Amino acid sequence: MDTFSEHKNIHTPKRSELPLCPVETCVQLIGSKWRLLIMRDLLMNDSMRFGALQRSVGKISQKVLTSNLRDMEEAGLVIRRVYPEVPPRVEYSLTETGRSLKPIIDAMWAWGEDYQAKAK
């Protein structure tokens, strides 16, 4: 069995720290193109290493991917597992909260398919 150190935010923010509007809260957490694509790829895979995630997301720089993953970890959406190897192996996966966004991603997929089908 692999040993690793797991990094995830287990602290839920205070309600007073969140926007009043629930839609704004959701947009604040997942509202960027990159975060949605990161979640899409992590939903399709149990966990992914940084390089594989960068390739699957597409034209995202290392800096932008790192920044988004850190923000998503801080928000409690992503878990980062670091394995004590040389060089270190790091894998990312979604938390239960992150996986709870699957219906939203699925709805966006269905809407996108419908929109593409109507395109000329």
Side-chain angles (χ1 to χ4, degrees):
M1 175 182 273
D2 287 330
T3 61
F4 54 84
S5 60
E6 189 169 88
H7 304 271
K8 63 180 176 179
N9 184 359
I10 58 171
H11 303 289
T12 305
K14 295 178 184 172
R15 185 142 179 107
S16 62
E17 297 171 340
L18 298 173
L20 293 175
C21 174
V23 173
E24 186 178 348
T25 298
C26 187
V27 167
Q28 189 177 66
L29 293 171
I30 67 167
S32 82
K33 163 188 171 179
W34 298 121
R35 289 186 190 178
L36 288 168
L37 295 177
I38 291 166
M39 281 187 283
R40 174 204 63 192
D41 292 346
L42 290 176
L43 280 167
M44 292 190 307
N45 303 280
D46 287 335
S47 66
M48 295 182 77
R49 293 180 71 173
F50 186 90
L53 187 56
Q54 186 176 18
R55 284 187 299 278
S56 71
V57 167
K59 298 183 187 288
I60 186 171
S61 71
Q62 181 176 340
K63 179 181 176 182
V64 171
L65 180 56
T66 298
S67 174
N68 276 278
L69 286 167
R70 285 184 183 150
D71 290 345
M72 293 170 75
E73 183 182 334
E74 180 65 29
L77 300 174
V78 168
I79 298 169
R80 177 172 46 99
R81 289 189 180 100
V82 181
Y83 294 84
E85 300 172 0
V86 178
R89 176 170 48 119
V90 180
E91 293 180 348
Y92 296 90
S93 59
L94 292 176
T95 62
E96 192 63 37
T97 301
R99 285 190 298 275
S100 73
L101 291 161
K102 186 175 183 337
I104 294 169
I105 303 293
D106 289 346
M108 293 176 77
W109 182 284
W111 187 91
E113 277 186 325
D114 186 55
Y115 186 83
Q116 289 175 338
K118 293 176 184 174
K120 294 182 181 185

